[in-house]
Amino acid sequence: MKASIFGPKKDIYFMRQALKQAQKAFASDEVPIGAVIVDKKGKIIARGYNQVEKKHAQTAHAEMLAITKAGKKLQDWRLEDCWIYVTLEPCAMCMVLIRLSRMKGVVFGANSPLIGYHLDKMLQLPVYKKDTFITVKGVLSDEAVTLLKRFFKKKREKGE
């Protein structure tokens, strides 16, 4: 299994923390996606979960909220050497923000066949050292998929 610089065991630990954030979104009737940002020392510096419905803003994705918190904590928009762990493959909007924030890499759980960044071939940002950006896929994907399926099943049962 491909891993971040922290190794597979730490990747699982950090993804579990992101899944806790996704549970918060689920409990708030938001699409259950969670994210955490980890600095180069392996310390979680920010957390976020989807709040699109609550904030009435498409920009309230888990990744965007976590990135904003990390920037405030570090007092810098450059999140160099940081990693983001997110339960669902980031959309194009979030992936561009991740790249523009100069993160070292992204670790995600479930693939997103509808809006995942892999669908957008325009995301090549050579100015941001694409050869050094690392993507790790599929960490705890079963747990992330199960949570998403539960959420959408609940929505269908309610007729939403």
Side-chain angles (χ1 to χ4, degrees):
M1 172 171 124
K2 188 175 177 184
S4 73
I5 61 166
F6 305 112
K9 286 183 181 179
K10 279 292 199 176
D11 286 350
I12 289 169
Y13 171 78
F14 293 134
M15 189 59 69
R16 287 207 191 287
Q17 300 308 304
L19 283 163
K20 287 180 182 178
Q21 294 299 304
Q23 286 285 354
K24 288 182 180 182
F26 186 95
S28 300
D29 204 28
E30 298 272 357
V31 176
I33 301 169
V36 297
I37 297 178
V38 179
D39 69 12
K40 66 182 174 184
K41 295 177 184 173
K43 180 181 176 197
I44 294 175
I45 60 168
R47 302 168 195 271
Y49 61 91
N50 259 14
Q51 297 182 47
V52 172
E53 301 298 333
K54 177 184 176 184
K55 295 182 181 267
H56 308 290
Q58 188 60 23
T59 56
H61 285 196
E63 301 96 323
M64 294 190 130
L65 297 173
I67 289 168
T68 299
K69 289 176 185 176
K72 285 181 182 176
K73 180 162 181 93
L74 297 179
Q75 292 293 294
D76 195 348
W77 62 268
R78 295 170 198 87
L79 302 178
E80 293 173 349
D81 296 322
C82 289
W83 287 75
I84 188 164
Y85 289 77
V86 61
T87 57
L88 183 68
E89 177 184 6
C91 69
M93 174 179 70
C94 290
M95 193 61 166
V96 168
L97 180 60
I98 290 165
R99 299 294 306 274
L100 291 173
S101 298
R102 300 184 182 173
M103 287 196 205
K104 185 71 174 168
V106 61
V107 179
F108 67 84
N111 289 323
S112 179
L114 297 176
I115 60 168
Y117 77 91
H118 75 278
L119 299 171
D120 189 345
K121 303 303 179 207
M122 299 299 293
L123 288 178
Q124 304 288 325
L125 297 174
V127 110
Y128 290 98
K129 305 177 191 171
K130 80 174 184 180
D131 58 322
T132 62
F133 187 80
I134 301 166
T135 302
V136 179
K137 307 172 183 181
V139 176
L140 299 181
S141 63
D142 290 345
E143 288 91 334
V145 167
T146 298
L147 187 58
L148 286 161
K149 285 182 177 180
R150 275 184 38 222
F151 176 80
F152 288 110
K153 181 180 180 191
K154 184 174 118 182
K155 286 290 194 185
R156 284 191 302 277
E157 287 170 354
K158 286 181 169 179
E160 296 178 14

